[in-house]
Amino acid sequence: YVLLNKPKDYITTMNDPEGRKNVMELVRNACSERIYPVGRLDRTTTGVLLFTNDGELTKQLTHPRYGIKKIYRVTLDQNLKHNDFEKIKEGIELEDGFIKPDAIEYAEGSKNEIGIEIHSGRNRVVRRIFEQFGYKVVKLDRVYFAGLTKKALERGMWRHLTEKEIGFLKMTPA
């Protein structure tokens, strides 16, 4: 069980035929076992990414029915209008269905930095929510995943989970 603070410009894949940098290069020396990323973060998204070889846990953490909590810090190219904020808060229809954040708030002292909590694992869903209203996501950072944070973990660095963290993850309702 390895936690990475994923930097920008790394793709979340096991290998890439195009030869781009991938997250496996960053955790290569973390353990002798073969580990896999739990879910995905797109190339430009940074933040908390978990790796494991525990298939049962991976299934629990990625299946939408378990509603695993994820929190992102979103930086937009312009201030988020209050009206758009309220619409997002109430939920919106995207091309692949309705999406309603579990929570959304402005970052302290800023109208273009937003905290959004979501449990959906749909592809690029956070970016698509804001793009629906004409905003460009300049920066997207996952700061929380299933109880794990990147606290005290420099970008591009990894650490092993503690026994307590592993126990907490395994208590996730199945």
Side-chain angles (χ1 to χ4, degrees):
Y1 304 90
V2 174
L3 185 70
L4 171 71
N5 185 353
K6 180 192 167 297
K8 192 175 177 181
D9 293 328
Y10 279 80
I11 58 173
T12 307
T13 186
M14 295 306 290
N15 52 27
D16 179 41
E18 295 179 39
R20 295 173 292 185
K21 297 184 286 190
N22 74 63
V23 292
M24 298 312 295
E25 298 167 18
L26 298 170
V27 297
R28 182 177 340 171
N29 300 321
C31 57
S32 56
E33 298 84 5
R34 190 171 172 108
I35 54 175
Y36 304 90
V38 177
R40 300 177 88 94
L41 291 177
D42 69 27
R43 186 177 59 80
T44 57
T45 301
T46 58
V48 179
L49 185 60
L50 178 65
F51 293 78
T52 186
N53 58 2
D54 184 336
E56 198 55 42
L57 180 64
T58 296
K59 185 176 163 191
Q60 277 180 239
L61 294 176
T62 56
H63 197 285
R65 85 168 154 195
Y66 301 120
I68 297 303
K69 181 175 175 176
K70 299 171 213 135
I71 301 174
Y72 296 85
R73 185 175 186 119
V74 184
T75 305
L76 302 173
D77 63 336
Q78 57 186 299
N79 289 344
L80 178 62
K81 295 180 189 106
H82 182 73
N83 189 35
D84 294 338
F85 176 94
E86 289 300 322
K87 287 178 186 170
I88 292 168
K89 187 177 179 178
E90 294 305 311
I92 61 169
E93 193 67 39
L94 295 175
E95 65 275 3
D96 57 352
F98 185 77
I99 186 77
K100 183 178 190 286
D102 301 309
I104 183 171
E105 59 187 52
Y106 290 104
E108 196 174 318
S110 176
K111 295 287 186 204
N112 76 321
E113 288 191 19
I114 314 300
I116 187 167
E117 178 186 326
I118 209 150
H119 64 267
S120 169
R122 286 192 258 165
N123 192 24
R124 302 183 76 247
V125 69
V126 174
R127 289 182 190 280
R128 291 187 296 130
I129 288 169
F130 292 98
E131 287 167 358
Q132 178 95 356
F133 293 92
Y135 298 94
K136 183 178 190 295
V137 174
V138 177
K139 203 160 105 181
L140 184 58
D141 188 35
R142 182 159 69 183
V143 296
Y144 182 99
F145 174 73
L148 302 170
T149 69
K150 57 190 178 130
K151 187 178 178 187
L153 194 58
E154 296 284 324
R155 188 94 62 218
M157 302 306 287
W158 57 265
R159 68 172 178 82
H160 292 279
L161 294 190
T162 65
E163 289 299 320
K164 187 176 179 180
E165 288 170 323
I166 294 166
F168 179 79
L169 286 176
K170 290 186 175 191
M171 287 189 330
T172 303

